[in-house]
């Protein structure tokens, strides 16, 4: 059974490549999709496509139009979601995507370090599974195919 | 990831062919669908299939039966919608299709000229992205695959 | 049975007061809601609440934020919709509201003059009933209570 | 028209009382609901009801069971949502509640300080309206009744 | 607990009055709604409101516009449905209403004479309960309140 | 675009083979599904699989269990529905399937002879298109691909 | 805020009266509904209303028709569910009602003795909260109103 | 037409292999999915992936996180469900999966021995078909393709 999994979460390191490599090693028939991971491209895509905006709020809103369009298309095509929170940054997009996914009945795995247990407790509680490492998330995905 | 995109909007020029050609140049794995673009065929299809009607209102209603059947089939199969408004004509069908798509949670791009900013402001505000040219709409679609 | 009916459509005359008066004369237990009908207030509400914006596009978008918030709250509380199209103006908001209502399975009556039969034919065809006068719309509402 | 509005967001000051007082001054027929605002009660409710847990993770999860039960009951009864972000704390619950509300088609207002424009840009973009003060949020609610 | 029950089915006798009288005798807090039961009014309502039509098909379609508007409003407000089939007439409207109700997850009771067991077998099978008399249907409604 | 179309309706002649043959002649990429068309098999399938039942009512109910299972699987997989009514028989299953399909937002074509215009008027009115012949229904399907 | 809570679960003792009494003591504005708790009435209601059946299977099926009708009406009217499992009996109805409630997004509390932890672990995991006593369930309900 | 069928139910014998073999013999184009059938693996998967837990309740809850994730992914991908109850064990998971499937409108077949007729009567009544043997369930699946 082929599955598509949306990889929500921080875009400041290459954890998505790690997921894809490990899924390939396990021969899992899973396609992974996710947000734009080039941070500059993500921040500037509004002005790149729609032209210069009259200030930062408007530049941000233009970029968000296009980032949200992308996320909505890909999230609706996905069968499950992995949402990874790192220790830095506010990562409200990760919380937003995970929460939207759960409201859409997408089975969801949260990956977060021990330090974030308390602030993420309600979100973790709503998710299907919460783990601390990408390897554990992969084990959960593999379990579908056992 | 293969996607299907419904091209709502005016049928008085060949903007859909332009979209398809440009998507092909960018190698986007997207199938495009849309309404009947032969205006006469669209207006006469009711009488062509159902037989002569007793006046213009009834001829129009018969054509709409079949046009709405087509749109409903194709819109439900689509992953996203581009709705283009031109400067001429009332184009209520475009507004109807875009609004129905958004109520069905289809991610939606509106293309409209600067002159229509004010009358389309609420519809634009509900869409994910509003652009002024087909090229910009294509850039938004391409962004899904970056 | 108490009902709430959303009155979508043009805000350039006082047709809504006419509807309410006639419903009262017929003793229909119906509450009517609808958009902001003070055109200036509707156009300026964004800047009034959110502060001055850097140009007309942004002013329009700010107003639409708030107008769409209002419409969404009231439309979701409604049991049925009357959408009136007049001969002037583009009235894409009316088409947008009627189409959203129908996609949300709200029973819908369209009121439009004879001159708009052709451009509104697909929207009319999707609505439950299309009439030419407010009096006819009231007769349809009354019929629920016979 | 009576409405119920869920007040998502930080529980570290008394902004909810401010909202209620101002709504009362404006005679708005709105009932406000929201999360447990006694922070200690919220953190300890799991152990208070379910008994001592074997460590902090389990204490947090037990509390979240009950906090999420409360939120789900009250959010489903609400017609609209105001989500307030302050400058301190991670406030992922606020993002979670706002995102869930929007996925459930609840009309949503975000209140956030200027400093949070960038990290909240995608969430703001999905909300109906984003404002900076509680007073502005009240003006938006009042606008429904004009 | 107050309930609203839609009484679908034939309009050629006064079985609905019988239901209402018996529910009152049992002091059930149930409001009953249903289609227009004046057959002539139902058949002619299209022309009465919309004006003369160019033939029987169009007269029937105009009447159906308004009958379906009424049914959609009332069925959506109902908590349960009783659908009665008699021995005469084709009664496709009854089958249509019962099937739509079940697709909308409305709990449904079918009342039909023994002679209709075979032709109604698939519809009966999808309904919650099938009985032969109005008295039995009332007993089922009463059972909710025991 | 490949489509699946459910052919609801009478099982007393071979109109489904006619539809399939004509669709093939037009090279339409459509798969057709439908109910069991062997009438005896359909009536007896309950006892064939579940064993002898204690009377006709129970035999009919057992058959309906299995016929409804089949219909539910196939209807949910379909993109559109054609429902054909003939002049004989009560055909409540056809009305049931067409109505369920429309409540599930499946675009629907009704085929019925002129003699059934009046008794089917409300169902026709809810369908997208009503025609009199299989050839006309095929023309409507073909129109999707023009 | 008035709420309705469905009390799923065993009908072999008077735990529901205990819940109602304790809710009253706490002045909670909650209406409680639930299944028929007279076991004999529940088992015999099919034959009581529909007449004698040709054996136990058919008697059971007739009773279930009416019990499921009742449950569907009341569960759809409820804002939350408490499902109590006791140590005796198979109680598949309790699991069925709790699972249906959760699939319908009804916030759910499970009450079960320590001895049932293992066999109920997946159901507990899907519920919002799992407790061991009725008093704890009441505390969770009270928490909504703090 | 390719279908996917979820095989809910007991994991204490190899009935699923029996289903697959018999479906293959009949050349049915059906893929079967289901829960983890290695009982020890299912019970221990939480600790295997998430690490040792502080007691049996927590071990069970951790395992359930992952088992429920798997079930949700696979059930949502399925077109129909077979739920088998055996004579031993409480099998609340089977009832939970069958009830969730039915609430999600998945056509469902229950397989249960004669001895379980009474305790399963309400669940059986909600399912499409109830049979006593795997062979009968296969006959029902085959019937879709006749």
């Amino acid at each position: 059974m082929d599955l598509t999994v949306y990889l929500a979460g921080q875009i400041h390191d290459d954890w998505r490549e790690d997921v894809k490599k490990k899924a390939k090693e396990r021969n899992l028939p899973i396609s992974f999709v996710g947000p734009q991971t080039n941070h500059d491209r993500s921040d500037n895509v509004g002005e790149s496509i729609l032209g210069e905006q009259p200030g930062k709020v408007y530049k941000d809103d233009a970029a968000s139009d296009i980032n949200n369009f992308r996320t909505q298309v890909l999230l609706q095509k996905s069968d499950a979601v992995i949402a990874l929170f790192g220790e830095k940054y506010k990562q409200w997009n990760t919380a937003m995507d995970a929460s939207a996914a759960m409201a859409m009945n997408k089975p969801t795995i949260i990956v977060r370090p021990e330090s974030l247990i308390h602030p993420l407790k309600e979100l973790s509680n709503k998710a299907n599974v919460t783990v601390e490492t990408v390897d554990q998330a992969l084990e959960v995905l593999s379990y579908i195919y056992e």
Side-chain angles (χ1 to χ4, degrees), chain A residues 3-141:
Chain A
L3 295 173
T4 300
V5 174
Y6 189 88
L7 300 175
Q10 66 174 26
I11 61 175
H12 306 85
D13 62 17
D14 61 352
W15 71 274
R16 285 179 185 78
E17 292 316 306
D18 192 29
V19 167
K20 288 175 195 171
K21 204 190 69 187
K22 284 169 173 163
K24 205 171 173 184
E25 285 165 14
R26 289 166 178 265
N27 290 316
L28 301 178
I30 299 179
S31 303
F32 294 97
V33 293
Q36 172 59 255
T37 53
N38 178 326
H39 200 166
D40 282 349
R41 175 65 170 149
S42 169
D43 275 1
N44 297 321
V45 67
E47 291 199 333
S48 295
I49 295 180
L50 303 171
E52 202 183 356
Q53 302 297 313
K56 284 184 54 113
V57 184
Y58 303 96
K59 176 187 168 179
D60 275 356
D61 198 46
S64 300
D65 278 351
I66 297 167
N67 286 320
N68 283 341
F69 175 81
R70 175 187 170 123
T71 303
Q72 191 178 339
V73 170
L74 296 176
L75 196 52
Q76 290 183 349
K77 299 289 277 189
S78 297
D79 302 301
V81 171
I82 296 176
L84 181 144
F85 290 84
E87 292 192 315
K88 292 189 233 158
Y89 312 102
K90 293 199 178 284
Q91 303 175 100
W92 281 319
N93 279 10
T94 315
M96 173 181 84
D97 289 346
S99 181
M102 294 186 290
M104 293 157 73
N105 286 321
K106 305 280 180 189
T108 298
I109 301 167
I110 287 178
V111 187
R112 54 109 187 80
E114 202 184 340
S115 58
L116 296 184
I117 288 173
H118 188 68
L120 278 174
K121 70 183 196 293
E122 269 84 20
L123 198 64
S124 270
N125 181 268
K126 285 177 76 174
N128 294 67
V129 192
T130 299
V131 298
E132 294 197 4
T133 68
V134 160
D135 285 305
Q136 290 172 311
L138 260 298
E139 287 185 65
V140 177
L141 290 184

